[in-house]
Amino acid sequence: DDGNPPRGTITGMINKGWCIPLPPSPEPPRPSSPPPTAFLTKPANFRVISIKVDSGKGAATLSWMAAQPTNCVLQRYSIKYMIGNELQGRETPDANATSHRITGLSCGECYTFQIAAHATGGLTARATSIAVEVPHPPAPPPAPAPEPPVSPVGMADPNTICPKTTKSYALVIGNNYPGENELKSCVNDANAVGAALDQAGFIDVTVAHNLDAVSIKRALRELRDKATEGSVVLVYFSGHGHSEGGDNFVVPTRMGCVATKQDWLDEAIATAYILTMMAQSKAKAKLLIIDACRSRGRHDTLANTSVKSAFDGAKMSWAAVNQSDAGVNMYSIFSSAEATVSYAGGSNDLSVMTRRLVPLITQEPGLELSSLVKCLSAQVLAAHGSSNQGRMLVNSTPQAWMIDFYFMPPSVGRSTRRAGCGVSEGVQDGGGDGADIARKNAAQHSLF
């Protein structure tokens, strides 16, 4: 025995006492674990959130909760929409979308939308909406009934007139009489009234200064000829004035000497002549405003008795006007009463009446002419003089006045005004009584 394992059979080896280790037996194979379960989302977490339908446009926007993939990859969404059980179309939003707009839908039909989420491995989750109606376009609102044309003063009455709706023409004269019996404020008066009439809407305003008799008559004829059918004509004069033998006159510049009634008819401009020129126009409304004296000469036997005179030959045309339709709707406003004086202002001021007239024209919308005259009368009365020392009384004469005239129409939302206006009783310009005002702050318009 050489000490080595015997050669031979295993049995011989065992008989010899030799142990031969056997190779380890292989371990049985372990069972492999199952692959992880892949799923897309829980049904409760994938649903349609809202459907917004665009009324009348045949479109709807579908919104949903995003699908939640687990152990898989979300690839895309698909949307199909049906009317009843009939498929109408398909859309394919991308995997990152959570809303999608569908167009081309039929208005008036009820649609059901179904959205599906598709992931790897063929996994799919679906959500279905309730039926949604795509409405028709709303019917257009009925066209409003046309409103009848209404004038800015809020009335369609043809006898309601204001310069903003009716062609209106004005002649405005201010005479300061430079180098003569000079006044200070009459040119200022004319400029202020002209600007006020422009603001009120007069389409043609002629402002003239220091006119002689020929120029005044020419300007009056031009006004008469330019006035159109149904229009308004207005003449304003500020300067010296006079009353003689029952007639009123405005004084031109460079007037000759006057001693008798006939002299006045030859040299001055009778208000009857002014009114006749206005009446001969085609205008519907005629307004005359005179800011001047109506004082009388000492030789006038009518100064303290009757203020009426018989119609002589020079006045026959005016008499004819007063008996015809041409004299209808004529309104005359004088700053002073018969046989009294009127007061002007300084070189930087306006005359007593005009200073109050201008704001009533421009700053009082909806003030009808008769109410404007009431306000003007009250303000002048309160501003100048006293009963003991001499009042300055506005005098007005509406002749067959059958219209409502407004310099400025009412503001929006404001009604027309016909009542009186507030004045401060006893307030005087510059302080003091009327005599002080006449001495210190004003000059008489009268030549006498």
Side-chain angles (χ1 to χ4, degrees), residues 202-398:
F202 277 67
I203 64 169
D204 188 305
V205 179
T206 300
V207 178
H209 304 150
N210 300 316
L211 297 188
D212 59 20
V214 173
S215 298
I216 291 176
K217 289 181 178 180
R218 181 182 296 117
L220 288 168
R221 290 194 298 270
E222 290 175 355
L223 177 68
R224 174 198 64 189
D225 295 340
K226 75 173 63 170
T228 56
E229 190 73 35
S231 62
V232 175
V233 291
L234 182 149
V235 174
Y236 170 90
F237 179 87
S238 178
H240 287 306
H242 184 69
S243 180
E244 184 75 26
D247 292 315
N248 295 300
F249 298 87
V250 298
V251 176
T253 60
R254 297 183 290 277
M255 189 178 76
C257 294
V258 287
T260 66
K261 170 72 173 290
Q262 189 59 49
D263 292 338
W264 281 101
L265 291 170
D266 292 340
E267 298 290 337
I269 309 295
T271 56
Y273 178 84
I274 300 174
L275 290 166
T276 300
M277 291 295 101
M278 297 169 69
Q280 289 177 358
S281 73
K282 297 178 180 179
K284 181 174 183 177
K286 288 80 75 172
L287 284 75
L288 173 63
I289 304 175
I290 304 292
D291 195 345
C293 293
R294 299 169 75 191
S295 55
R296 297 181 174 202
R298 295 179 181 178
H299 57 274
D300 186 353
T301 58
L302 297 176
N304 295 302
T305 55
S306 173
V307 297
K308 297 180 179 179
S309 63
F311 294 115
D312 54 24
K315 202 175 179 181
M316 281 305 295
S317 62
W318 180 225
V321 165
N322 285 341
Q323 299 176 75
S324 69
D325 290 344
V328 170
N329 290 324
M330 190 170 288
Y331 212 121
S332 303
I333 302 171
F334 293 89
S335 62
S336 56
E338 183 72 31
T340 66
V341 296
S342 184
Y343 291 89
S347 58
N348 295 318
D349 201 357
L350 302 179
S351 301
V352 171
M353 185 187 80
T354 298
R355 190 185 315 147
R356 287 149 185 87
L357 173 64
V358 168
L360 291 174
I361 292 175
T362 60
Q363 300 175 17
E364 295 292 336
L367 192 62
E368 200 275 327
L369 181 61
S370 58
S371 295
L372 181 149
V373 173
K374 290 178 184 178
C375 290
L376 182 64
S377 300
Q379 292 180 14
V380 171
L381 181 68
H384 193 280
S386 67
S387 291
N388 295 330
Q389 297 161 339
R391 287 285 197 191
M392 182 173 161
L393 304 180
V394 173
N395 180 269
S396 63
T397 305

Side-chain angles (χ1 to χ4, degrees), residues 186-206:
C186 298
V187 167
N188 297 342
D189 292 342
N191 292 337
V193 170
L197 297 179
D198 274 330
Q199 183 176 340
F202 277 67
I203 64 169
D204 188 305
V205 179
T206 300

Side-chain angles (χ1 to χ4, degrees), residues 134-208:
V134 179
H136 288 284
E147 296 183 1
V150 179
S151 71
V153 294
M155 294 175 249
D157 187 348
N159 287 323
T160 297
I161 294 177
C162 72
K164 291 188 182 297
T165 58
T166 304
K167 290 183 178 180
S168 302
Y169 306 83
L171 172 62
V172 180
I173 302 171
N175 280 359
N176 275 358
Y177 311 94
E180 303 179 71
N181 189 4
E182 191 167 351
L183 298 171
K184 301 294 185 182
S185 65
C186 298
V187 167
N188 297 342
D189 292 342
N191 292 337
V193 170
L197 297 179
D198 274 330
Q199 183 176 340
F202 277 67
I203 64 169
D204 188 305
V205 179
T206 300
V207 178

